[in-house]
Amino acid sequence: MKRKSLATMECPVAQTLERVGDRWTMLILRDAMKGKTRFDEFQRSMNVAPNILTGRLSNLVENGFLVRRRYSEHPPRDEYVLTDIGRDFQSVVQAMIGFGNRNFSETSGSVTFVDTETGREADPITVDRHTGEAISLPRFVLRSNESQVL
């Protein structure tokens, strides 16, 4: 069954989901952020069928999250490298890791962020870029273009 497109919705969540809204795509981006670039690395990490991985990688290239670069001519082999858009998406993956560790991980902290200078584990949160304040209710609310609080 083909899923309904969200491309015509103006909502930024819908627009993002249209491009990355499935589990394999999210896991590819997670692995790319961990430094994986090659097809076989992604496949080994996720144990995903080659045809599914090929489709998701093509989608990520088409939507500007990854760029395909040739690293071998004989035989022809490509790697997939994060673009600026892909690197910008890192905050979404960081938030998901923090959320998953706090709410769903049976082995809490199986994947964590560690400060390379102190060795201290970090707990990612979302902050306002301008003030550094944690974005949370009730101080911050969602508002549509029509100024309605959602």
Side-chain angles (χ1 to χ4, degrees), residues 59-79:
N59 177 61
L60 286 166
V61 169
E62 179 181 319
N63 284 293
F65 287 82
L66 299 173
V67 64
R68 181 180 290 139
R69 289 193 194 145
R70 180 71 34 112
Y71 71 88
S72 173
E73 290 297 332
H74 302 290
R77 297 275 190 258
D78 296 326
E79 65 181 353

Side-chain angles (χ1 to χ4, degrees), residues 31 38-51 53:
D31 281 358
R38 298 187 177 175
F39 189 94
D40 61 322
E41 293 174 322
F42 293 119
Q43 189 174 25
R44 225 178 1 262
S45 172
M46 297 180 289
N47 195 26
V48 59
N51 62 317
L53 181 55

Side-chain angles (χ1 to χ4, degrees), residues 76-97:
R77 297 275 190 258
D78 296 326
E79 65 181 353
Y80 299 86
V81 180
L82 288 168
T83 62
D84 288 342
I85 291 173
R87 285 186 294 278
D88 191 33
F89 195 73
Q90 184 170 352
S91 61
V92 176
V93 175
Q94 289 169 340
M96 290 181 73
I97 289 169

